[in-house]
Amino acid sequence: MNTGSIGMGKITIDSLLSLEAYHKARPEMRQRAIAERKLRTVHLGEHLTLIFENEFLMRYQIQEMLRVEKTFEEEGIQDELDAYNPMVPGGSDFKVTMMIEYPNEADRKIALSKLVGVEDRIFIEVEGQPRVYVLADEDLERTTSEKTSAVHFLRIPVSVAMKEALKAGAQMMVGCDHKGYPMHVETLPHETLASLVTDLS
């Protein structure tokens, strides 16, 4: 069984480790997941965090859920796969978990009401290519007219031209142009960008 090579395919039941096998593999997988998540996290200012998910991170998440819930029936395993597989990049997109973070709950409440629609104003801009905005929460609406949610799931389509530019070494800007939170990161660390490019087949 494989412990999670990064692939473009969806995660399947027969590619997962049994609870017993995962127990043995867990320390190593956990260490790798922590390092990979850190590498693939982009902070837009102090309050917006974007985690670019990949196959391995979703595989780790599924294995953790199965471990915590002691799930070994096929139906339960399939439920977890159905929940996390949509966040595995498909080869021509990035999949991102976006979090709006304020340590103080009162501040967070105010921010969430001021930042309605912020999830639709996240973009990437590959050097020499047009800016592309995310498609937010395709599975479920997470915003009301009064407030946005603290967590959103984003998909960022990546065109063939963008892929080719990135693979040839182009830089990529990541940003937000919501009027209540204008913020961008002009250049990503080389290691981060290299990791993100592996999502593109």
Side-chain angles (χ1 to χ4, degrees):
M1 277 191 175
N2 98 46
T3 58
S5 57
I6 293 181
M8 286 301 150
K10 295 297 182 195
I11 301 163
T12 57
I13 287 188
D14 55 10
S15 74
L16 292 170
L17 297 173
S18 67
L19 292 180
E20 202 177 320
Y22 179 60
H23 179 71
K24 291 181 186 144
R26 184 173 182 251
E28 196 185 320
M29 276 183 81
R30 185 167 180 271
Q31 219 170 354
R32 180 180 159 193
I34 290 167
E36 205 144 311
R37 190 170 287 135
K38 189 177 174 191
L39 179 65
R40 295 172 62 90
T41 295
V42 176
H43 295 283
L44 292 178
E46 283 178 52
H47 306 294
L48 259 189
T49 299
L50 304 175
I51 301 167
F52 284 78
E53 306 289 6
N54 67 6
E55 199 260 19
F56 177 77
L57 289 173
M58 290 299 98
R59 179 178 293 277
Y60 170 71
Q61 198 67 43
I62 291 166
Q63 296 276 189
E64 277 294 291
M65 293 304 287
L66 298 177
R67 183 186 82 92
V68 169
E69 292 164 5
K70 298 187 171 45
T71 304
F72 51 85
E73 292 95 351
E74 202 160 299
E75 196 182 337
I77 296 172
Q78 192 57 53
D79 286 347
E80 296 299 345
L81 289 172
D82 293 345
Y84 289 101
N85 259 331
M87 289 303 287
V88 176
S92 56
D93 54 24
F94 294 123
K95 299 286 180 78
V96 179
T97 300
M98 166 183 146
M99 294 179 293
I100 301 172
E101 299 176 304
Y102 284 81
N104 177 314
E105 199 174 333
D107 292 346
R108 184 166 64 239
K109 265 189 162 160
I110 294 167
L112 294 180
S113 66
K114 280 187 179 165
L115 294 176
V116 171
V118 68
E119 66 278 6
D120 298 315
R121 306 308 304 168
I122 305 294
F123 65 84
I124 62 169
E125 198 173 303
V126 175
E127 223 176 316
Q129 300 294 319
R131 181 173 290 193
V132 172
Y133 287 88
V134 305
L135 299 163
D137 303 321
E138 292 178 292
D139 61 330
L140 181 71
E141 188 53 62
R142 290 184 169 80
T143 291
T144 66
S145 56
E146 281 83 49
K147 71 180 185 72
T148 188
S149 166
V151 178
H152 294 277
F153 299 104
L154 316 176
R155 180 165 70 86
I156 310 175
V158 180
S159 69
V160 174
M162 287 162 73
K163 270 191 221 186
E164 284 170 359
L166 286 169
K167 288 180 178 178
Q171 237 323 321
M172 183 171 93
M173 184 200 297
V174 179
C176 171
D177 66 5
H178 187 279
K179 64 182 188 312
Y181 199 92
M183 188 70 64
H184 67 271
V185 174
E186 194 81 37
T187 54
L188 297 177
H190 173 72
E191 301 76 27
T192 297
L193 196 52
S195 180
L196 300 190
V197 170
T198 64
D199 297 350
L200 307 171
S201 55

